[in-house]
Amino acid sequence: MANVVVIGAQWGDEGKGKVVDIYTEFADNVVRYQGGNNAGHTLVVGDEKVILHLIPSGILHEGKRCIIGNGVVLDPEVFIMEITKLKANGYLKDDSMLRLSESLHIIMPYHKRIDIAREAKSGAKKIGTTGRGIGPAYEDKIGRRGIRLMDLLDEKSFSRKVKEILDEKNLILTQFLNDKPFTFEEIYEEYMGYAETLRKYAADTSLLLHKEIRAGKSLLFEGAQGTLLDVDHGSYPYVTSSSTCSGGACTGSGVSPREIHEVIGIAKAYATRVGSGPFPTELEDETGEALRQAGREFGSTTGRPRRCGWYDALVARYAVRVNGLSGIAITKLDVLSGLETVKVCTGYSYNGQVLDEVPASLEVIEQCRPIYQEFPGWTEDITGAKSLAELPENAQNYIKRIEELSGAPVVLVSVGPRRSETIVLRNPFEA
Ligand code: GDP
Ligand code: IMO
Ligand code: MG
């Protein structure tokens, strides 16, 4: 029995959905604890591809409880759409296997409109958000004026809180962002419609998880986004608005750090980023395009082309440090097959100096140039490899070097999107 946190070790889209799907077999509960439907986690089951934005990836396994914790911001419309689709496809037969924290914050219509209008107004300085209202919803949470699920389920409290805040939101929308205002009635009608569906899932999920732990059940925490998108530890302000690092698993679920046994960071064998912000190893050439095509690097949430580049060992080491990674899962190694040379960034050149840590300052990181170590590539199709020994020697050496440079043991290597295309070296649940 172990409680395991899975987080993104880069800029998101590392393949967390696939790894969580693999690990779910060994867990009793799968918990989302931060972010919202800005996430897009892809799972491939047989020939079926499922993209989950909000519901934990454990939902495709019968008998596993899925929890959306207090740290998540939830768009009720998206939640209902997602469960409706899952049910239509034969999943979520038992509603008691999905639970929402009554303390989680609700994404309101004005959050989405403000997110999109603010980005439009920012022009070249925009963050490149997913436009899902995530930032504005967390602003209200931290500003102590958010609307929680428990408020939505209490008609009086909901009406009062919406009335209290709507004048301010409409002022911002109309006077500052040049957009349309909302009426109380339209919000009330829409959201009261959602309340009835959400009610049956609401629970004190911290207590529920506590009881599961006491009963000897295991928890799998499914992180969204990635380390460099963390509001504290990422490339601020080009980040999302939540704590994507492992610490967020505790604050976002109400489970103590003393209950966490393993933290696994997911990293692609190269790197991608969607949206704006520094990306020292970015390739804006034909190699970048080749990675984009081979890795099908187009956003699962917005469909935007992902920026592509080489594996950055400084970023990996940073992720090991701020998350306390006990293991790294390397994904998409197959995407590198066919490249003559593969590169890994081992340092940054800045102002005549060599940096070996990711600098905190945006101005500094924007001026950093990557220093690379080059490796000979391999041409074989590796998607059928079941052990490291079955990989071409050059691919084995590449993994070994990544492991040395990153500073945490590689516990899993993914060589294709399917469940079967996975080399498991150590199972964190059997620690
Ligand atoms: P997440 O947000 O971290 O869950 O990642 P996404 O689902 O947004 O993006 C990862 C993409 O890579 C998805 O389309 C996965 O199906 C795919 N994928 C995951 N692992 C592998 C792998 O080892 N090889 C290949 N080719 N694709 C993979
Ligand atoms: P998963 O869980 C990659 C990025 C956006 C933008 C920034 C802020 O699938 O890895 P937001 O809408 O959160 O305010 O946008 O964060 N971003 C992601 N990038 N994967 C994600 O999720 C992301 N969620 C947000 O592109 O740069
Ligand atoms: Mg994704």
Side-chain angles (χ1 to χ4, degrees), residues 8 11-17 32 34-42 52-53 115 119 126-136 138 222-226 229 237-242 244 272-277 299-302 304 306-307:
W11 288 271
D13 302 326
E14 298 92 346
K16 298 176 292 294
R32 276 279 313 262
Q34 46 72 227
N37 59 305
N38 47 350
H41 297 178
T42 313
L52 295 166
H53 298 287
D115 189 1
E119 283 278 277
K126 70 175 189 217
I127 308 283
T129 72
T130 58
R132 302 302 195 256
I134 305 295
Y138 278 115
E222 175 178 1
Q225 291 82 52
L229 291 174
Y238 297 102
V239 292
T240 190
S241 298
S242 67
T244 63
T272 63
R273 178 167 197 160
V274 213
S276 319
S300 334
T301 298
T302 56
R304 289 177 290 177
R306 294 174 181 151
R307 300 156 66 193

Side-chain angles (χ1 to χ4, degrees), residues 384-391 396 422-423 425:
K386 295 282 172 260
S387 66
L388 283 188
E390 287 175 46
L391 292 174
Q396 289 184 40
T422 312
I423 301 170
L425 301 171

Side-chain angles (χ1 to χ4, degrees), residues 8-16 225-227 266-268 331-332:
Q10 297 162 322
W11 288 271
D13 302 326
E14 298 92 346
K16 298 176 292 294
Q225 291 82 52
T227 301
I266 317 298
K268 277 178 192 167
T331 61
K332 304 190 94 161

Side-chain angles (χ1 to χ4, degrees), residues 9-40:
Q10 297 162 322
W11 288 271
D13 302 326
E14 298 92 346
K16 298 176 292 294
K18 171 181 164 165
V19 177
V20 167
D21 183 43
I22 301 264
Y23 285 166
T24 298
E25 191 188 330
F26 310 100
D28 299 300
N29 299 274
V30 185
V31 188
R32 276 279 313 262
Y33 54 87
Q34 46 72 227
N37 59 305
N38 47 350

Side-chain angles (χ1 to χ4, degrees), residues 388-401:
L388 283 188
E390 287 175 46
L391 292 174
E393 202 180 336
N394 287 347
Q396 289 184 40
N397 289 337
Y398 182 67
I399 294 288
K400 253 186 238 147
R401 192 66 185 127

